[in-house]
Amino acid sequence: MSQQQGVTQPVPLSPVRLRCQKGIPPSLRGRAWLYLSGGKVKREQNRGKFEELDSQAGDPKELDVIEKDLHRQFPFHEMFVSRGGHGQQDLFRVLKAYTLYRPEEGYCQAQAPIAAVLLMHMPAEDAFWGLVQICEKYLPGYYSAGLEAIQLDGEILYALTRRVSPLVYRHLEKHKMEPILYMTEWFMCAFSRTLPWASVLRVWDMFLCDGVKIIFRVGLVLLKCMLGTREKLKACQGQYETMELLRAIEPRYMQEGFLVREVLEVPVSERDVEREHHVQLKRWRKNRGELHCKSPPRMHGARAIMASEPPSRQDLRQNPTIIVESPLPPPQPTPQLKKGEKSKEEKSKKKGSMKKAPTVMEIPNPYPLAGDPQRDPQLPLRDPQLPLRDPQLPLRDPMPTLRNSTVQQPLVNDTPLPNTPEDSPPPHQPTLNDQSLLTVSPLQKSTQSLSSIEADQDTYL
């Protein structure tokens, strides 16, 4: 919130954060998680590392524990429903690779549901680097021996409960409810084994964008909903009843829309988490001494991760998922020309433009119509460069419509009508020696022949 002229105004959200609060589309969720967590940059900077770890044998003790936990992760999901299926095989590869990547930390059972959720949205290599980023940047020290980091965050949650919901805080303090009793599975599994699946995805969208403060907010919302009224506290007269109530959270409080709306309204920021972290760490050192696990500093969201390790443009470049080899040969590199030198193509274009186009002689029509312009008698009838006609071929009949016979056959019927005398002379038919054809154009000839045929038909009818 920002102060301007005495009026409190909300700080505008970035488009990425707003999209994560509204929910990332399922088709983009795996790729978005990889970018938000910094796993994409980590993978590009360590190319071939996962294949190297996958090819190694691993510690037999760690592998035996991993194999026992494979069938417990989302047993009703299609990826992990069958023993030895591709889902369980990829989960085994990811967890084994992490034990080889961080041998001092080893395997923790709470890592299995984290890796399983990632595998549902991305390949095994991407899920491995996503698990590395969650264990090192978002929840550092959670899975180390002694669980000191999770105990310290439990004290932070306890202190934040006092500020957000004093009634719940007094009830937990009255019955000596240590936070480690009810929040261990919540935080270590990032609520993946507590909430419905739709709510898990929405929480993870915000968690990978804004960091661990989302996990604290979800825990505070569940505590307030289950223990936030005096009527509900009457049913919890002791520690056992309180634990049973927190283990059986009402579905209406875990519903996607309600939970996200309540989480966004909780007044807990990353600055509040860090301030309380320093207070609880100081108290821990005073009462218990130094932490045995030296975990790296916690990063609050994607922006902090990118600021700590600025990625290059090459690291953020999206590689194609399908590569098709072209059957065409690769293009030859163009030679570098010196200053002022022209390529061969430019020279050939220049020479071609200087050549004159050949003149095309118009061939006159040997059978002109009456309306065609008269040909100049001085011009030749044909181009002398064209080849002569083959003398072996016969001449074309200039009058294809004429026949050698002098009698025109009737067009309607070959049998003469009964009233027509057979010895009547036939109508006049044009012949090759008719002088009238020499002075009449072809168009007129066709008109005359058509009219004569019509006259003959009228005679027969």
Side-chain angles (χ1 to χ4, degrees):
M1 309 294 282
S2 61
Q3 299 287 341
Q4 184 177 1
Q5 297 180 356
V7 180
T8 303
Q9 296 180 353
V11 179
L13 298 176
S14 65
V16 175
R17 177 174 294 175
L18 185 62
R19 181 70 270 171
C20 293
Q21 291 180 1
K22 292 182 177 180
I24 301 175
S27 59
L28 301 175
R29 180 168 277 125
R31 190 185 305 178
W33 284 2
L34 194 63
Y35 274 90
L36 290 172
S37 64
K40 172 68 166 60
V41 178
K42 201 78 171 179
R43 187 192 68 184
E44 296 297 328
Q45 294 175 352
N46 297 270
R47 281 193 168 276
K49 185 66 175 179
F50 177 74
E51 290 78 3
E52 178 186 348
L53 297 173
D54 191 25
S55 61
Q56 299 180 17
D59 188 359
K61 296 181 180 180
E62 299 280 4
L63 299 183
D64 184 59
V65 179
I66 292 174
E67 288 180 352
K68 292 179 181 179
D69 289 341
L70 291 179
H71 68 282
R72 302 173 183 171
Q73 314 308 323
F74 302 97
F76 300 106
H77 195 276
E78 59 182 358
M79 282 188 63
F80 309 102
V81 68
S82 59
R83 287 182 177 268
H86 69 93
Q88 292 192 10
Q89 290 180 6
D90 288 344
L91 182 60
F92 177 80
R93 293 170 58 203
V94 171
L95 297 176
K96 183 194 75 170
Y98 188 82
T99 59
L100 296 171
Y101 185 75
R102 287 285 180 264
E104 69 281 359
E105 188 172 297
Y107 167 70
C108 179
Q109 289 182 327
Q111 292 174 333
I114 299 290
V117 174
L118 293 173
L119 276 173
M120 295 178 194
H121 295 85
M122 59 190 72
E125 183 179 5
D126 296 345
F128 167 73
W129 291 115
L131 176 65
V132 169
Q133 291 297 99
I134 290 176
C135 296
E136 293 184 353
K137 305 295 184 182
Y138 289 86
L139 308 174
Y142 268 37
Y143 310 104
S144 59
L147 303 178
E148 293 177 335
I150 192 68
Q151 296 181 51
L152 189 61
D153 278 0
E155 298 299 329
I156 297 174
L157 178 66
Y158 196 58
L160 293 175
T161 306
R162 181 178 184 180
R163 194 184 72 178
V164 174
S165 182
L167 185 63
V168 176
Y169 173 80
R170 288 194 295 268
H171 177 80
L172 296 176
E173 186 181 31
K174 175 183 177 181
H175 295 286
K176 307 296 181 183
M177 292 282 297
E178 295 291 334
I180 197 70
L181 297 177
Y182 55 84
M183 55 82 62
T184 304
E185 187 180 66
W186 292 358
F187 278 56
M188 295 188 70
C189 299
F191 292 97
S192 60
R193 302 184 65 173
T194 306
L195 301 175
W197 183 243
S199 301
V200 170
L201 298 179
R202 295 292 300 277
V203 168
W204 274 52
D205 290 344
M206 297 183 292
F207 165 59
L208 294 176
C209 179
D210 293 330
V212 75
K213 71 177 181 181
I214 299 298
I215 303 298
F216 281 100
R217 288 183 181 183
V218 176
L220 291 171
V221 168
L222 296 182
L223 289 173
K224 184 178 179 180
C225 290
M226 297 303 296
L227 303 172
T229 60
R230 297 187 181 277
E231 290 77 11
K232 294 179 179 179
L233 293 180
K234 289 180 181 179
C236 304
Q237 299 298 326
Q239 187 182 84
Y240 176 78
E241 291 81 5
T242 303
M243 282 297 303
E244 288 298 317
L245 188 64
L246 293 178
R247 287 174 179 171
I249 300 176
E250 297 183 25
R252 57 174 176 164
Y253 298 135
M254 299 186 295
Q255 194 270 335
E256 174 187 354
F258 173 83
L259 182 62
V260 172
R261 184 170 60 252
E262 292 295 322
V263 166
L264 295 178
E265 293 178 358
V266 175
V268 173
S269 63
E270 53 208 40
R271 183 176 299 179
D272 299 331
V273 175
E274 282 300 313
R275 185 188 303 115
E276 201 61 47
H277 175 79
H278 290 296
V279 173
Q280 298 301 327
L281 183 60
K282 185 177 180 180
R283 184 177 299 176
W284 180 287
R285 289 172 177 170
K286 181 179 179 181
N287 298 333
R288 307 186 187 183
E290 291 291 335
L291 294 172
H292 296 88
C293 177
K294 301 296 180 181
S295 58
R298 178 155 49 196
M299 299 295 171
H300 292 273
R303 179 174 296 181
I305 293 175
M306 288 192 176
S308 62
E309 299 176 356
S312 63
R313 185 179 297 272
Q314 182 68 24
D315 295 337
L316 294 177
R317 182 180 178 184
Q318 176 64 27
N319 297 326
T321 55
I322 301 176
I323 300 177
V324 179
E325 296 183 359
S326 175
L328 301 177
Q332 298 295 332
T334 56
Q336 296 182 356
L337 302 177
K338 298 180 181 179
K339 187 175 182 181
E341 185 179 359
K342 298 182 180 180
S343 62
K344 294 182 179 180
E345 295 181 358
E346 294 179 354
K347 292 180 180 179
S348 61
K349 287 182 180 179
K350 188 174 181 180
K351 289 181 180 180
S353 61
M354 295 176 64
K355 294 181 180 179
K356 295 182 179 180
T359 57
V360 180
M361 292 187 62
E362 183 180 357
I363 302 176
N365 187 6
Y367 310 103
L369 299 177
D372 291 350
Q374 296 296 328
R375 183 183 62 83
D376 189 358
Q378 301 296 331
L379 296 176
L381 293 177
R382 58 179 300 278
D383 188 359
Q385 297 182 358
L386 295 177
L388 296 176
R389 183 184 62 83
D390 189 358
Q392 301 296 330
L393 296 177
L395 292 175
R396 181 175 177 269
D397 187 2
M399 298 296 292
T401 58
L402 300 180
R403 299 291 183 268
N404 297 329
S405 62
T406 60
V407 179
Q408 177 71 26
Q409 301 295 332
L411 299 178
V412 178
N413 194 356
D414 292 341
T415 306
L417 295 177
N419 298 330
T420 304
E422 296 182 1
D423 298 337
S424 60
H428 174 72
Q429 298 293 333
T431 60
L432 290 175
N433 298 328
D434 196 343
Q435 296 296 328
S436 62
L437 295 177
L438 300 178
T439 59
V440 181
S441 64
L443 181 61
Q444 295 174 348
K445 297 174 187 177
S446 60
T447 307
Q448 293 176 1
S449 60
L450 181 61
S451 60
S452 62
I453 294 172
E454 293 177 353
D456 293 341
Q457 292 179 358
D458 294 339
T459 302
Y460 288 125
L461 295 176

